[in-house]
Structures are given as C-alpha cells and as structure tokens.
Amino acid sequence: MSTGIFGFKARRRATPFAAQTVTANALRTVEDQGLTQAKVRIKGPGPGRDGALQAIRYGPIRLVSIEDITPLPHNGCRPPKKRRM
C-alpha cells in the first residue's frame, strides 16, 4: 500500500498522519484474512515510522515483538578531497 492511494499528494505523503492512515488500512485488510498476532520489523528513519508504529500498537492485531533493522554504517562514506588553493 502507498499513501498516494488514499489521496495524499506531494508534501503530505511524508507525514506521520499519512503513514498512520495507510498502516491502519493495511491492518484491517490483514485482520480480515485472519491474522491475530505479528512480529514487526522496522527499517529506516523518518517521520512516518512513528505514525506507523502508533497505528500498529493501537490496532486490532497483538504485537509479539518490534525489531529495528535500520542499517548502520561502519565507517561511512569516504570524505571528499581537501580543497587546494
């Protein structure tokens, strides 16, 4: 599912409310199929992450665990060369 399906355009797509709306709708769909409990794995930063977590926590499905699988850099990218004058 994506936020564009629910009428969110441009800047409003990246809001916590849009993420909460999409997640709540996805939970209703999954609940109709008979799912009662779930393990949640969250990847990446952003404002939509917290909104989605709230929708999952207050939704009809029981949470077994929440796991953060955001990749972390070991040393990061190589910095640019020093400027020579």
Coordinates of all heavy atoms in Angstrom, one line a residue:
M1 N 0.8 -1.2 0.0 CA 0.0 0.0 0.0 C 0.9 1.2 0.0 O 2.0 1.2 0.5 CB -0.9 0.0 1.2 CG -1.8 -1.1 1.5 SD -3.3 -0.5 1.9 CE -4.3 -1.7 1.1
S2 N 0.3 2.3 -0.5 CA 1.1 3.6 -0.5 C 0.2 4.7 -0.2 O -1.1 4.6 -0.2 CB 1.8 3.8 -1.9 OG 0.8 4.2 -2.8
T3 N 0.7 5.8 0.2 CA -0.1 7.0 0.6 C -0.8 7.6 -0.5 O -1.8 8.3 -0.3 CB 0.8 8.0 1.3 OG1 1.9 8.3 0.5 CG2 1.3 7.5 2.6
G4 N -0.3 7.4 -1.7 CA -1.0 8.0 -2.9 C -2.4 7.4 -3.2 O -3.3 8.1 -3.7
I5 N -2.6 6.2 -2.8 CA -3.9 5.6 -2.9 C -5.0 6.3 -2.1 O -6.1 6.3 -2.6 CB -3.8 4.1 -2.5 CG1 -2.9 3.3 -3.5 CG2 -5.2 3.4 -2.5 CD1 -2.6 1.9 -3.0
F6 N -4.6 6.8 -1.0 CA -5.6 7.5 -0.1 C -5.7 8.9 -0.3 O -6.3 9.7 0.5 CB -5.2 7.2 1.4 CG -5.2 5.7 1.7 CD1 -4.0 5.0 1.7 CD2 -6.4 5.1 1.9 CE1 -4.1 3.6 2.0 CE2 -6.4 3.8 2.2 CZ -5.3 3.0 2.2
G7 N -5.2 9.4 -1.4 CA -5.4 10.8 -1.8 C -4.3 11.8 -1.3 O -4.5 13.0 -1.4
F8 N -3.3 11.3 -0.7 CA -2.2 12.2 -0.2 C -1.3 12.6 -1.4 O -0.9 11.7 -2.1 CB -1.4 11.6 0.9 CG -2.2 11.3 2.2 CD1 -2.6 10.1 2.5 CD2 -2.4 12.3 3.0 CE1 -3.3 9.8 3.6 CE2 -3.2 12.1 4.2 CZ -3.6 10.9 4.5
K9 N -1.1 13.8 -1.6 CA -0.3 14.3 -2.7 C 0.9 15.1 -2.2 O 0.9 15.8 -1.2 CB -1.1 15.2 -3.6 CG -2.3 14.5 -4.2 CD -1.9 13.5 -5.2 CE -3.1 12.8 -5.8 NZ -2.8 11.7 -6.6
A10 N 2.0 15.0 -2.9 CA 3.2 15.7 -2.7 C 3.7 15.7 -1.3 O 4.1 14.7 -0.7 CB 3.1 17.1 -3.3
R11 N 3.7 16.9 -0.6 CA 4.3 17.0 0.7 C 3.6 16.3 1.8 O 4.2 15.9 2.8 CB 4.5 18.5 1.1 CG 5.2 19.3 0.0 CD 6.3 20.1 0.4 NE 6.6 20.3 1.8 CZ 7.8 20.3 2.3 NH1 8.8 20.0 1.5 NH2 8.0 20.5 3.6
R12 N 2.3 16.1 1.6 CA 1.5 15.4 2.7 C 1.7 13.9 2.7 O 1.4 13.3 3.7 CB 0.0 15.7 2.5 CG -0.3 17.2 2.8 CD -1.8 17.4 2.8 NE -2.3 17.1 1.4 CZ -3.6 16.7 1.3 NH1 -4.4 16.6 2.3 NH2 -4.0 16.4 0.0
R13 N 2.4 13.4 1.7 CA 2.7 12.0 1.7 C 3.7 11.6 2.7 O 3.7 10.4 3.2 CB 3.2 11.5 0.3 CG 2.2 11.6 -0.8 CD 2.7 11.3 -2.1 NE 2.7 9.8 -2.3 CZ 2.8 9.2 -3.4 NH1 3.1 9.9 -4.5 NH2 2.7 7.9 -3.5
A14 N 4.6 12.5 3.1 CA 5.7 12.2 4.0 C 5.4 12.6 5.4 O 6.2 12.8 6.2 CB 7.0 12.9 3.6
T15 N 4.1 12.6 5.8 CA 3.7 13.0 7.2 C 3.4 11.7 8.0 O 3.0 10.7 7.4 CB 2.5 13.9 7.1 OG1 1.4 13.2 6.5 CG2 2.8 15.1 6.3
P16 N 3.5 11.9 9.3 CA 3.1 10.7 10.2 C 1.6 10.4 10.0 O 1.3 9.2 10.1 CB 3.4 11.3 11.6 CG 4.3 12.4 11.4 CD 4.1 12.9 10.1
F17 N 0.8 11.3 9.8 CA -0.7 11.0 9.6 C -0.9 10.1 8.4 O -1.7 9.2 8.5 CB -1.5 12.3 9.5 CG -2.9 12.1 9.3 CD1 -3.7 11.6 10.3 CD2 -3.5 12.3 8.0 CE1 -5.1 11.3 10.1 CE2 -4.8 12.1 7.8 CZ -5.6 11.6 8.8
A18 N -0.2 10.4 7.3 CA -0.4 9.6 6.1 C 0.1 8.2 6.4 O -0.6 7.2 6.0 CB 0.4 10.2 5.0
A19 N 1.2 8.0 7.1 CA 1.7 6.7 7.4 C 0.8 5.9 8.3 O 0.5 4.7 8.1 CB 3.1 6.8 8.0
Q20 N 0.2 6.7 9.2 CA -0.8 6.1 10.2 C -2.0 5.6 9.4 O -2.5 4.5 9.7 CB -1.1 7.1 11.2 CG -1.8 6.5 12.4 CD -2.0 7.6 13.5 OE1 -1.5 8.7 13.4 NE2 -2.6 7.2 14.6
T21 N -2.5 6.4 8.5 CA -3.7 6.0 7.7 C -3.5 4.8 6.9 O -4.3 3.8 6.9 CB -4.1 7.2 6.8 OG1 -4.3 8.4 7.6 CG2 -5.4 6.9 6.1
V22 N -2.3 4.7 6.2 CA -2.0 3.6 5.4 C -1.8 2.3 6.2 O -2.3 1.2 5.9 CB -0.7 3.9 4.5 CG1 -0.3 2.6 3.8 CG2 -1.0 5.0 3.5
T23 N -1.1 2.4 7.3 CA -0.9 1.3 8.2 C -2.2 0.8 8.8 O -2.4 -0.5 8.8 CB 0.1 1.7 9.3 OG1 1.2 2.2 8.8 CG2 0.4 0.5 10.2
A24 N -3.1 1.7 9.2 CA -4.4 1.2 9.8 C -5.2 0.5 8.7 O -5.8 -0.5 9.0 CB -5.1 2.4 10.3
N25 N -5.2 1.0 7.5 CA -5.9 0.3 6.4 C -5.3 -1.1 6.1 O -6.0 -2.1 5.9 CB -5.9 1.1 5.2 CG -6.9 0.6 4.2 OD1 -6.9 -0.5 3.8 ND2 -7.8 1.5 3.7
A26 N -4.0 -1.2 6.1 CA -3.3 -2.5 5.9 C -3.6 -3.4 7.0 O -3.8 -4.6 6.8 CB -1.8 -2.2 5.8
L27 N -3.7 -3.0 8.2 CA -4.0 -3.8 9.4 C -5.5 -4.4 9.2 O -5.7 -5.5 9.6 CB -3.9 -3.1 10.7 CG -2.5 -2.8 11.1 CD1 -2.4 -2.0 12.4 CD2 -1.8 -4.2 11.4
R28 N -6.4 -3.5 8.8 CA -7.8 -4.0 8.6 C -7.8 -5.1 7.5 O -8.5 -6.1 7.7 CB -8.7 -2.8 8.2 CG -9.3 -2.2 9.4 CD -10.3 -1.2 9.0 NE -9.7 0.1 9.2 CZ -9.5 1.1 8.3 NH1 -9.9 0.9 7.1 NH2 -8.9 2.2 8.6
T29 N -7.1 -4.9 6.5 CA -7.0 -5.9 5.4 C -6.5 -7.2 5.9 O -7.0 -8.3 5.6 CB -6.1 -5.4 4.2 OG1 -6.7 -4.2 3.8 CG2 -6.1 -6.4 3.1
V30 N -5.4 -7.2 6.7 CA -4.7 -8.4 7.2 C -5.6 -9.1 8.2 O -5.7 -10.3 8.3 CB -3.3 -8.0 7.7 CG1 -2.7 -9.2 8.5 CG2 -2.4 -7.6 6.6
E31 N -6.3 -8.3 9.0 CA -7.2 -8.8 10.0 C -8.4 -9.6 9.4 O -8.8 -10.6 9.9 CB -7.8 -7.7 10.9 CG -8.6 -8.2 12.1 CD -9.3 -7.1 12.8 OE1 -9.5 -6.0 12.2 OE2 -9.7 -7.3 13.9
D32 N -8.9 -9.1 8.3 CA -9.9 -9.8 7.6 C -9.5 -11.2 7.1 O -10.3 -12.1 6.9 CB -10.4 -9.0 6.4 CG -11.1 -7.7 6.8 OD1 -11.6 -7.7 8.0 OD2 -11.3 -6.8 6.0
Q33 N -8.2 -11.3 6.9 CA -7.6 -12.6 6.4 C -7.3 -13.6 7.6 O -6.9 -14.7 7.3 CB -6.3 -12.4 5.6 CG -6.6 -11.6 4.3 CD -5.3 -11.3 3.6 OE1 -4.2 -11.6 4.0 NE2 -5.4 -10.6 2.5
G34 N -7.5 -13.1 8.8 CA -7.4 -14.0 10.0 C -6.1 -13.9 10.8 O -5.9 -14.7 11.7
L35 N -5.3 -12.9 10.5 CA -4.1 -12.7 11.3 C -4.4 -12.1 12.7 O -5.2 -11.2 12.8 CB -3.1 -11.8 10.6 CG -1.7 -11.6 11.2 CD1 -1.0 -12.9 10.9 CD2 -1.0 -10.4 10.6
T36 N -3.9 -12.7 13.8 CA -4.2 -12.2 15.1 C -3.0 -11.6 15.8 O -3.2 -10.8 16.7 CB -4.8 -13.4 16.0 OG1 -3.8 -14.4 16.0 CG2 -6.1 -13.9 15.4
Q37 N -1.8 -12.1 15.5 CA -0.6 -11.5 16.1 C 0.5 -11.4 15.1 O 0.5 -12.1 14.0 CB -0.1 -12.4 17.3 CG 0.2 -13.8 16.9 CD 0.5 -14.6 18.1 OE1 0.4 -14.1 19.3 NE2 0.8 -15.9 17.9
A38 N 1.5 -10.5 15.3 CA 2.5 -10.2 14.3 C 3.8 -9.8 15.0 O 3.8 -9.2 16.1 CB 2.0 -9.1 13.4
K39 N 4.9 -10.0 14.3 CA 6.2 -9.5 14.6 C 6.5 -8.4 13.6 O 6.4 -8.6 12.5 CB 7.3 -10.6 14.5 CG 7.2 -11.7 15.5 CD 8.3 -12.7 15.2 CE 8.2 -13.9 16.2 NZ 9.2 -14.9 16.0
V40 N 6.9 -7.2 14.1 CA 7.1 -6.1 13.3 C 8.6 -5.8 13.2 O 9.3 -5.7 14.2 CB 6.4 -4.8 13.9 CG1 6.7 -3.6 13.0 CG2 4.9 -5.1 13.9
R41 N 9.1 -5.6 11.9 CA 10.5 -5.2 11.7 C 10.5 -3.9 11.0 O 9.9 -3.7 9.9 CB 11.2 -6.3 10.8 CG 11.2 -7.6 11.5 CD 11.7 -8.7 10.6 NE 13.2 -8.5 10.6 CZ 13.9 -9.1 9.6 NH1 13.4 -9.7 8.7 NH2 15.2 -8.9 9.7
I42 N 11.1 -2.9 11.6 CA 11.1 -1.5 11.0 C 12.4 -1.1 10.5 O 13.4 -1.4 11.1 CB 10.6 -0.5 12.1 CG1 9.2 -0.8 12.5 CG2 10.7 0.9 11.6 CD1 8.7 0.1 13.6
K43 N 12.5 -0.6 9.3 CA 13.7 -0.2 8.6 C 13.7 1.2 8.2 O 12.7 1.6 7.5 CB 14.0 -1.1 7.4 CG 15.3 -0.9 6.8 CD 15.5 -2.0 5.7 CE 16.8 -1.9 5.0 NZ 17.0 -2.9 4.0
G44 N 14.7 2.0 8.5 CA 14.8 3.4 8.0 C 14.3 4.4 9.0 O 13.4 4.2 9.8
P45 N 14.9 5.6 8.9 CA 14.4 6.7 9.7 C 13.2 7.5 9.0 O 12.9 7.2 7.9 CB 15.6 7.6 9.8 CG 16.3 7.4 8.4 CD 16.0 6.0 8.1
G46 N 12.7 8.4 9.7 CA 11.7 9.3 9.1 C 10.5 9.5 10.0 O 10.2 8.8 10.9
P47 N 9.7 10.5 9.6 CA 8.5 10.8 10.5 C 7.4 9.8 10.3 O 6.6 9.6 11.2 CB 8.1 12.2 9.9 CG 8.6 12.2 8.5 CD 9.8 11.4 8.5
G48 N 7.3 9.1 9.2 CA 6.3 8.1 9.0 C 6.4 6.9 9.9 O 5.5 6.2 10.2
R49 N 7.6 6.7 10.3 CA 7.9 5.5 11.1 C 7.2 5.5 12.4 O 6.6 4.5 12.8 CB 9.4 5.5 11.4 CG 9.9 4.5 12.4 CD 11.4 4.8 12.6 NE 11.9 3.9 13.5 CZ 13.1 3.4 13.5 NH1 14.0 3.8 12.6 NH2 13.6 2.6 14.4
D50 N 7.1 6.6 13.1 CA 6.4 6.7 14.4 C 4.9 6.6 14.2 O 4.2 6.0 15.0 CB 6.8 8.0 15.1 CG 8.3 8.1 15.5 OD1 8.8 7.0 15.8 OD2 8.9 9.2 15.5
G51 N 4.4 7.3 13.2 CA 3.0 7.2 12.9 C 2.5 5.8 12.6 O 1.5 5.3 13.1
A52 N 3.4 5.0 11.9 CA 3.0 3.7 11.5 C 3.1 2.8 12.8 O 2.2 1.9 13.0 CB 4.0 3.1 10.5
L53 N 4.1 3.0 13.7 CA 4.1 2.3 14.9 C 2.9 2.5 15.8 O 2.4 1.6 16.4 CB 5.4 2.7 15.7 CG 6.6 1.8 15.4 CD1 7.8 2.2 16.2 CD2 6.3 0.3 15.8
Q54 N 2.5 3.8 15.9 CA 1.3 4.1 16.7 C 0.1 3.3 16.1 O -0.7 2.8 16.9 CB 1.0 5.6 16.7 CG 1.7 6.3 17.7 CD 1.2 7.7 17.8 OE1 0.6 8.2 16.8 NE2 1.4 8.4 18.9
A55 N -0.1 3.3 14.8 CA -1.2 2.6 14.3 C -1.2 1.1 14.5 O -2.2 0.5 14.8 CB -1.3 2.9 12.7
I56 N 0.0 0.6 14.5 CA 0.2 -0.9 14.8 C -0.1 -1.2 16.3 O -0.8 -2.1 16.6 CB 1.6 -1.4 14.4 CG1 1.8 -1.3 12.9 CG2 1.8 -2.8 14.9 CD1 3.2 -1.5 12.4
R57 N 0.4 -0.3 17.1 CA 0.2 -0.5 18.6 C -1.2 -0.4 19.0 O -1.7 -1.2 19.8 CB 1.1 0.5 19.3 CG 1.2 0.2 20.8 CD 2.1 1.1 21.5 NE 2.1 2.4 20.9 CZ 2.8 3.4 21.4 NH1 3.5 3.3 22.5 NH2 2.7 4.6 20.9
Y58 N -2.0 0.5 18.5 CA -3.4 0.6 18.8 C -4.3 -0.1 17.9 O -5.5 0.0 18.1 CB -3.8 2.1 18.9 CG -3.0 2.9 19.9 CD1 -2.2 4.0 19.6 CD2 -3.0 2.5 21.3 CE1 -1.4 4.7 20.5 CE2 -2.3 3.2 22.2 CZ -1.5 4.3 21.9 OH -0.8 4.9 22.8
G59 N -3.8 -0.9 17.0 CA -4.6 -1.6 16.1 C -5.2 -2.9 16.7 O -4.9 -3.3 17.9
P60 N -5.9 -3.7 15.9 CA -6.6 -4.9 16.4 C -5.6 -6.1 16.5 O -6.0 -7.1 17.2 CB -7.6 -5.2 15.4 CG -7.1 -4.6 14.1 CD -6.3 -3.4 14.5
I61 N -4.4 -6.0 16.0 CA -3.5 -7.1 16.0 C -2.5 -7.0 17.1 O -2.0 -6.0 17.4 CB -2.8 -7.2 14.6 CG1 -3.8 -7.5 13.5 CG2 -1.7 -8.3 14.7 CD1 -3.2 -7.5 12.2
R62 N -2.3 -8.2 17.8 CA -1.4 -8.2 19.0 C 0.0 -8.2 18.5 O 0.4 -9.0 17.7 CB -1.7 -9.4 19.9 CG -1.0 -9.4 21.2 CD -1.5 -10.5 22.1 NE -1.0 -11.8 21.7 CZ 0.2 -12.3 22.0 NH1 1.0 -11.6 22.8 NH2 0.5 -13.5 21.6
L63 N 0.9 -7.4 19.1 CA 2.3 -7.3 18.8 C 3.1 -8.4 19.6 O 3.0 -8.4 20.8 CB 2.8 -6.0 19.0 CG 2.6 -4.9 18.0 CD1 3.1 -3.6 18.4 CD2 3.1 -5.3 16.6
V64 N 3.8 -9.2 18.9 CA 4.7 -10.1 19.6 C 6.1 -9.4 19.9 O 6.6 -9.5 21.0 CB 4.9 -11.4 18.7 CG1 5.9 -12.3 19.4 CG2 3.6 -12.1 18.5
S65 N 6.6 -8.8 18.9 CA 7.9 -8.0 19.1 C 8.0 -6.9 18.0 O 7.4 -7.0 16.9 CB 9.1 -9.0 19.0 OG 9.2 -9.5 17.6
I66 N 8.8 -5.9 18.4 CA 9.2 -4.9 17.4 C 10.7 -4.9 17.3 O 11.4 -4.8 18.3 CB 8.7 -3.5 17.9 CG1 7.2 -3.5 18.1 CG2 9.1 -2.4 17.0 CD1 6.6 -2.2 18.7
E67 N 11.2 -5.0 16.1 CA 12.6 -5.0 15.9 C 13.0 -3.9 14.9 O 12.4 -3.7 13.8 CB 13.0 -6.4 15.3 CG 14.4 -6.6 15.1 CD 14.7 -8.0 14.5 OE1 13.8 -8.8 14.3 OE2 15.9 -8.3 14.2
D68 N 14.1 -3.2 15.2 CA 14.6 -2.2 14.3 C 15.8 -2.8 13.5 O 16.8 -3.2 14.1 CB 15.1 -1.0 15.2 CG 15.6 0.2 14.3 OD1 15.3 0.2 13.1 OD2 16.3 1.0 14.9
I69 N 15.6 -2.8 12.2 CA 16.6 -3.4 11.3 C 17.3 -2.3 10.4 O 17.7 -2.6 9.4 CB 16.1 -4.5 10.5 CG1 14.9 -4.1 9.6 CG2 15.7 -5.7 11.4 CD1 14.5 -5.0 8.6
T70 N 17.3 -1.1 10.9 CA 17.9 0.0 10.1 C 19.4 -0.2 10.0 O 20.1 -0.5 11.0 CB 17.7 1.4 10.9 OG1 16.3 1.6 11.1 CG2 18.2 2.5 10.1
P71 N 19.9 -0.2 8.7 CA 21.4 -0.4 8.6 C 22.2 0.8 9.1 O 21.8 1.9 8.9 CB 21.5 -0.5 7.1 CG 20.3 0.1 6.5 CD 19.2 0.0 7.5
L72 N 23.3 0.5 9.8 CA 24.2 1.5 10.3 C 25.5 1.4 9.6 O 26.1 0.3 9.5 CB 24.4 1.3 11.8 CG 23.1 1.5 12.7 CD1 23.4 1.1 14.1 CD2 22.6 2.9 12.6
P73 N 26.1 2.5 9.2 CA 27.4 2.5 8.5 C 28.5 2.2 9.5 O 28.5 2.7 10.6 CB 27.5 3.9 7.9 CG 26.7 4.8 8.8 CD 25.5 3.9 9.2
H74 N 29.5 1.4 9.1 CA 30.6 1.1 10.0 C 31.6 2.3 10.0 O 32.1 2.6 11.1 CB 31.3 -0.2 9.5 CG 30.5 -1.4 9.7 ND1 30.2 -2.0 10.9 CD2 29.8 -2.1 8.7 CE1 29.4 -3.0 10.7 NE2 29.2 -3.1 9.4
N75 N 31.8 2.9 8.9 CA 32.8 4.0 8.9 C 32.3 5.1 8.0 O 32.9 6.1 7.8 CB 34.1 3.5 8.4 CG 35.2 4.5 8.7 OD1 35.0 5.4 9.5 ND2 36.4 4.3 8.2
G76 N 31.1 4.9 7.3 CA 30.6 5.9 6.5 C 31.2 6.0 5.1 O 32.1 5.2 4.8
C77 N 30.9 7.0 4.3 CA 31.4 7.2 3.0 C 32.8 7.9 3.1 O 33.1 8.5 4.1 CB 30.5 8.1 2.2 SG 28.9 7.3 1.9
R78 N 33.6 7.8 2.1 CA 34.9 8.4 2.1 C 34.6 10.0 1.9 O 33.9 10.4 1.0 CB 35.7 7.9 0.9 CG 37.1 8.5 0.8 CD 37.8 7.8 -0.3 NE 39.1 8.4 -0.4 CZ 40.1 7.8 -1.1 NH1 39.9 6.7 -1.7 NH2 41.3 8.4 -1.2
P79 N 35.3 10.8 2.7 CA 35.1 12.2 2.6 C 35.7 12.8 1.3 O 36.6 12.2 0.7 CB 35.8 12.8 3.8 CG 36.7 11.8 4.2 CD 36.2 10.4 3.8
P80 N 35.2 13.9 0.8 CA 35.8 14.5 -0.4 C 37.2 14.9 -0.2 O 37.6 15.2 0.9 CB 34.9 15.6 -0.7 CG 34.2 15.9 0.5 CD 34.1 14.7 1.3
K81 N 38.0 15.0 -1.3 CA 39.4 15.5 -1.2 C 39.4 16.9 -0.7 O 38.5 17.7 -0.9 CB 40.0 15.5 -2.6 CG 40.2 14.1 -3.1 CD 40.6 14.0 -4.6 CE 41.9 14.7 -4.9 NZ 42.3 14.6 -6.3
K82 N 40.5 17.2 0.0 CA 40.7 18.6 0.5 C 40.9 19.6 -0.6 O 41.4 19.3 -1.7 CB 42.0 18.6 1.4 CG 41.9 17.8 2.6 CD 41.0 18.4 3.6 CE 41.0 17.6 4.9 NZ 40.0 18.0 5.8
R83 N 40.4 20.8 -0.4 CA 40.4 21.8 -1.4 C 41.8 22.4 -1.5 O 42.4 22.7 -0.4 CB 39.4 22.9 -1.1 CG 39.3 23.9 -2.1 CD 38.2 24.9 -1.9 NE 38.2 25.9 -2.8 CZ 37.6 27.1 -2.6 NH1 37.0 27.3 -1.5 NH2 37.6 28.0 -3.6
R84 N 42.4 22.5 -2.7 CA 43.7 23.1 -2.8 C 43.6 24.5 -3.4 O 42.8 24.7 -4.4 CB 44.6 22.3 -3.8 CG 45.0 21.0 -3.1 CD 46.0 20.3 -4.0 NE 45.3 19.4 -4.9 CZ 45.9 18.6 -5.8 NH1 47.1 18.7 -6.0 NH2 45.2 17.8 -6.5
M85 N 44.3 25.4 -2.8 CA 44.2 26.8 -3.3 C 45.5 27.2 -4.0 O 46.6 26.8 -3.7 CB 44.0 27.8 -2.1 CG 42.7 27.5 -1.4 SD 41.3 28.0 -2.4 CE 41.2 29.7 -2.0

